[in-house]
Amino acid sequence: QKEVEQNSGPLSVPEGAIASLNCTYSDRGSQSFFWYRQYSGKSPELIMSIYSNGDKEDGRFTAQLNKASQYVSLLIRDSQPSDSATYLCAVNPGTYKYIFGTGTRLKVLA
Amino acid sequence: SAVISQKPSRDICQRGTSLTIQCQVDSQVTMMFWYRQQPGQSLTLIATANQGSEATYESGFVIDKFPISRPNLTFSTLTVSNLSPEDSSIYLCSVGDRGNTEAFFGQGTRLTVV
């Protein structure tokens, strides 16, 4: 059973701090990795995709991938209350299916 | 990224009835997927909608309960049949492709069965 694991949270950080969200996956053959943000009652919105080891930065967001450790993370710098949402990690193991984690709920405290 | 229109956005249905959800994409896509998100849970793939052939269902989901149509490369429907309160969920249409392409989601349909 291919799995994607996330801490459900909530993860609470003060406004302006760095939020660090983590995800592990079981399928070593996984090829692409995604972070989605989901506000309550809304559909998931793609934030970042990452395909190779290392860091990928986009504005306040940095995705980090370590395939040897089967670990992917998302850093949010200068966290804002509007970043409060559930963050879903998703993995594409090279098939057409996307496997989602259960999500981490982030709360940014003003 | 593709623009995905999903409707209805929400509905309240009587048990025993059916609800058909539509998903329209503004461009041709290879893959269309249907997910379910139960309250407080993550996304579970119901099936892949295949153009011109029967949908491919995941374990625990069957065609009689979740019939899917995909008449062309831009449109699909999911029907949730013989509704029970356990079917109360958000249903999401998603499009993607093989390889390293991101998956994008429609707005979702919030179904409440009473």
Side-chain angles (χ1 to χ4, degrees):
Chain A
Q1 177 81 9
K2 298 173 183 175
E3 294 181 344
V4 176
E5 303 279 351
Q6 293 181 259
N7 188 318
S8 61
L11 172 66
S12 295
V13 300
E15 184 176 358
I18 296 175
S20 178
L21 305 163
N22 304 314
C23 170
T24 59
Y25 59 94
S26 63
D27 184 358
R28 189 170 289 276
S30 297
Q31 299 179 4
S32 49
F33 309 85
F34 310 95
W35 284 99
Y36 288 83
R37 177 176 61 200
Q38 187 174 27
Y39 293 112
S40 180
K42 302 294 186 183
S43 64
E45 171 194 8
L46 180 67
I47 299 175
M48 294 282 290
S49 57
I50 186 166
Y51 304 105
S52 54
N53 281 328
D55 295 359
K56 178 181 177 182
E57 187 175 318
D58 184 359
R60 295 188 295 114
F61 299 99
T62 299
Q64 300 175 317
L65 175 61
N66 184 328
K67 289 185 178 180
S69 300
Q70 296 175 239
Y71 177 91
V72 57
S73 64
L74 179 69
L75 301 178
I76 306 174
R77 288 182 299 281
D78 187 24
S79 295
Q80 301 298 308
S82 59
D83 294 326
S84 297
T86 297
Y87 289 80
L88 299 168
C89 175
V91 173
N92 183 333
T95 69
Y96 55 83
K97 300 180 186 180
Y98 298 83
I99 303 170
F100 286 83
T102 53
T104 298
R105 192 155 62 98
L106 173 66
K107 290 176 141 180
V108 180
L109 308 172
Chain B
S1 63
V3 176
I4 306 165
S5 299
Q6 187 177 335
K7 58 181 181 181
S9 58
R10 59 179 63 229
D11 207 342
I12 299 173
C13 298
Q14 298 289 325
R15 66 178 69 199
T17 64
S18 298
L19 175 70
T20 295
I21 304 167
Q22 298 182 2
C23 180
Q24 178 76 54
V25 190
D26 69 342
S27 59
Q28 294 185 345
V29 292
T30 306
M31 301 291 185
M32 294 181 78
F33 307 95
W34 288 99
Y35 286 87
R36 180 175 73 183
Q37 188 174 30
Q38 295 180 302
Q41 304 294 315
S42 188
L43 285 74
T44 301
L45 181 63
I46 297 171
T48 302
N50 302 310
Q51 193 267 332
S53 63
E54 218 169 76
T56 305
Y57 289 84
E58 297 301 305
S59 176
F61 298 96
V62 294
I63 188 171
D64 289 347
K65 177 68 175 177
F66 298 100
I68 287 170
S69 78
R70 185 159 179 205
N72 55 52
L73 291 175
T74 64
F75 185 78
S76 178
T77 67
L78 168 72
T79 299
V80 189
S81 303
N82 190 24
L83 290 168
S84 68
E86 293 72 33
D87 295 320
S88 298
S89 287
I90 297 174
Y91 292 86
L92 293 152
C93 168
S94 172
V95 304
D97 210 338
R98 298 180 188 276
N100 296 330
T101 305
E102 299 92 345
F104 299 97
F105 288 88
Q107 304 93 324
T109 297
R110 183 181 292 273
L111 169 62
T112 302
V113 182
V114 297

